[in-house]
Amino acid sequence: MTTQFTDVPMLFPDIEGMDRQARRELQDRRLRDLVDRLLAAGGLQAARLRDCGVRSGSDVGIDELHRLPMVRKRDLWEHYPHGLRAVDPEDVVCVHGSSGTGGRPTLVPYTANDVDVWAEVMARALGAAGVTRASVVHNAYGYGLFTGGIGVHHGAMRLGATVVPLSGGMTERQVRLLADLRPDVLTCTPSYAVHLGEACAAAGVEPSSLKVGVHGAEPWTPEMRAQVERLLGIRAFDIYGLSEVIGPGVACESVDSGGMLSVAEDHFLPEVVDADGNPVPDGTPGELVFTTLTKTGMPLLRYRTGDVATLADPVPGSPRTLRRMSKLLGRTDDMLVVRGVNVYPTEIEAVVLADARVSPHYLVVEDRRTARTELRVAVEPRADAAGELAGELAGALRERLGVSVDVLVLPAGSVPRAETGKAKRLVRWSEGPAPLPGL
Ligand code: DLL
């Protein structure tokens, strides 16, 4: 199929379609300004910059970005609750954050300027997925400290669409409003999209008004996308972000981005580095690092996200000139090492959900009760599943991953569903009872 680049017009062509050299100069200017602001604010990042011999923004340039110091989540935790705030408290207009993958909260102060940037990048992201002023957006991301609900809300309002702020949960009411308000856009985590789709089917409601889904906040594979699209009859797009950087809108997929996500790199400068923090070439997986070029509340220079992806140039010939990142392959802390082989849970998802006999509910269990770590995956069959499912899936997993994985086929409904928040697809089992009956 040839891509129709004209399918989705750019909302901000001056930025999304900017000449690449001009953008690099803009990024360079913004980087110098950021360094000046960090030095003026004092604190951890200023000290690290001074340790590197940086006295002012004029000492740095985008080509030497890799020489500048980095920050990590640990640095934010150590400065809890205000993080690395770089403005006076009265300039902070809201605080968001996440409970974090390590279970410790990460709080992020935003200024009015930050909220403005957020609304803009989120509006761009929605626009890139085909959302317009005429759209009705059923927003089922959680509202609260989590950035999903409020981030999409800001963007949809900036775009001039109608946003219905459902938040997560209360699924029956959501099904009702899908039928009554007939939205064309669904925004929620991919796992909740599945849950909502199944709830619609159970209630006999056909969500036929929906055309587009914008899903993120948790890892999901193209195989999961196929399931979401089939269940809801929509075109499903990926959106990426993290509260430390801004929330959703850091990068987003569009009709013409070739299955990757265009990064809002005029605001969030991406790098990919190896375990030692050295830059890796485009196409090589590594840890994503972002520099928030324009943020003021808690600006971050070279923040190590823990997320693993690859970077690439824009699609050749596309009017969208932003650099792209791949769908996330996983997180550095979710990588499973099984007899010397590295496996991300998304690789397991890709194999399991490619099998049409399996429903999109699964759980990966890393059994660490003995010295010899074992991997298990619990799946649920569809009603019409036939054949030697467990054995065939185990064979496909061995072939793709190079390690053996025990497949358990459990009765429908056994794997816990996420009504709110992010789906938990991976459990590490070190002691105590089985995380799921039947394992
Ligand atoms: O999850 C922001 C967000 C909300 C993104 C809604 C997209 C949609 P946090 O709660 O701070 O922020 O969690 C950030 O979630 O570092 C990734 O590990 C993961 N994540 C976010 N988007 C994706 C995605 C929001 N599209 C953490 N694919 C990030 C895979 C994602 N993982």
Side-chain angles (χ1 to χ4, degrees):
M1 196 184 79
T2 42
T3 312
Q4 297 296 311
F5 288 128
T6 47
D7 276 351
V8 172
M10 291 180 284
L11 274 184
F12 298 82
D14 295 354
I15 298 165
E16 295 172 86
M18 196 175 198
D19 169 74
R20 294 188 61 199
Q21 185 53 34
R23 182 182 295 116
R24 204 158 169 81
E25 285 162 16
L26 174 73
Q27 290 168 327
D28 193 63
R29 277 199 305 279
R30 288 182 167 174
L31 176 66
R32 290 165 197 260
D33 177 61
L34 167 70
V35 166
D36 279 333
R37 287 188 284 119
L38 288 173
L39 286 167
L44 178 86
Q45 297 190 86
R48 287 192 186 157
L49 278 166
R50 283 196 205 94
D51 287 349
C52 280
V54 176
R55 295 280 171 271
S56 93
S58 56
D59 293 343
V60 307
I62 197 165
D63 295 328
E64 296 96 53
L65 183 66
H66 59 278
R67 299 220 175 92
L68 298 180
M70 296 176 136
V71 272
R72 298 164 175 268
K73 196 165 219 140
R74 202 175 47 225
D75 297 314
L76 304 186
W77 285 339
E78 284 170 4
H79 292 76
Y80 183 84
H82 297 301
L84 305 177
R85 191 178 66 206
V87 289
D88 292 336
E90 54 265 43
D91 290 330
V92 173
V93 298
C94 60
V95 175
H96 282 281
S98 63
S99 52
T101 33
R104 292 165 79 175
T106 309
L107 298 180
V108 184
Y110 293 64
T111 61
N113 164 77
D114 299 337
V115 174
D116 196 53
V117 167
W118 195 12
E120 181 195 311
V121 292
M122 256 319 302
R124 275 198 231 168
L126 292 170
V131 182
T132 69
R133 288 192 71 236
S135 296
V136 176
V137 181
H138 181 112
N139 185 17
Y141 283 113
Y143 279 65
L145 264 189
F146 174 56
T147 50
I150 290 175
V152 168
H153 196 104
H154 284 314
M157 299 235 307
R158 173 66 58 94
L159 192 60
T162 304
V163 57
V164 189
L166 272 304
S167 197
M170 294 173 70
T171 304
E172 253 178 55
R173 188 179 71 176
Q174 303 227 8
V175 171
R176 174 80 204 260
L177 289 184
L178 279 175
D180 293 350
L181 293 179
R182 301 195 49 74
D184 51 331
V185 182
L186 172 65
T187 53
C188 62
T189 59
S191 53
Y192 194 66
V194 167
H195 190 65
L196 203 49
E198 289 178 345
C200 284
V205 168
E206 173 81 48
S208 56
S209 59
L210 288 179
K211 307 240 160 357
V212 165
V214 181
H215 308 296
E218 60 189 28
W220 60 309
T221 56
E223 288 73 16
M224 177 66 91
R225 185 208 306 272
Q227 301 244 13
V228 170
E229 291 188 335
R230 194 176 54 200
L231 197 60
L232 288 164
I234 57 173
R235 171 116 193 231
F237 294 93
D238 198 352
I239 180 160
Y240 167 82
L242 60 167
S243 13
E244 300 92 304
V245 171
I246 199 92
V250 173
C252 65
E253 212 180 347
S254 60
V255 173
D256 54 17
S257 59
M260 296 181 84
L261 292 81
S262 307
V263 182
E265 54 162 328
D266 48 323
H267 294 291
F268 314 114
L269 188 61
E271 298 171 80
V272 169
V273 300
D274 64 19
D276 300 323
N278 300 313
V280 301
D282 278 5
T284 305
E287 183 176 350
L288 272 170
V289 172
F290 283 102
T291 295
T292 64
L293 294 173
T294 52
K295 248 178 76 169
T296 49
M298 190 182 79
L300 293 174
L301 180 66
R302 306 194 74 212
Y303 179 67
R304 288 186 82 144
T305 62
D307 291 328
V308 179
T310 62
L311 283 179
D313 275 338
V315 175
S318 167
R320 238 175 267 274
T321 54
L322 296 163
R323 273 171 61 77
R324 296 172 301 151
M325 57 176 261
S326 64
K327 279 178 86 63
L328 279 206
L329 306 169
R331 287 191 51 81
T332 46
D333 45 13
D334 271 1
M335 192 176 75
L336 306 164
V337 184
V338 188
R339 291 179 281 292
V341 179
N342 298 346
V343 178
Y344 286 109
T346 50
E347 295 176 274
I348 299 180
E349 175 178 299
V351 176
V352 166
L353 298 194
D355 193 313
R357 295 170 298 176
V358 178
S359 87
H361 304 284
Y362 72 94
L363 185 71
V364 177
V365 178
E366 185 193 29
D367 184 350
R368 296 162 145 186
R369 287 170 306 155
T370 63
R372 191 184 146 90
T373 298
E374 301 286 351
L375 274 191
R376 288 172 200 198
V377 57
V379 299
E380 293 180 10
R382 290 189 185 282
D384 49 357
E388 258 303 305
L389 192 51
E392 287 169 25
L393 276 180
L397 284 163
R398 193 175 323 104
E399 188 155 309
R400 165 86 177 255
L401 310 177
V403 289
S404 54
V405 180
D406 239 358
V407 177
L408 291 111
V409 181
L410 300 180
S414 306
V415 175
R417 274 56 168 163
E419 266 259 327
T420 54
K422 306 191 182 206
K424 201 165 166 52
R425 306 273 193 210
L426 170 67
V427 172
R428 297 196 146 108
W429 182 15
S430 310
E431 54 179 18
L436 271 187
L439 272 182

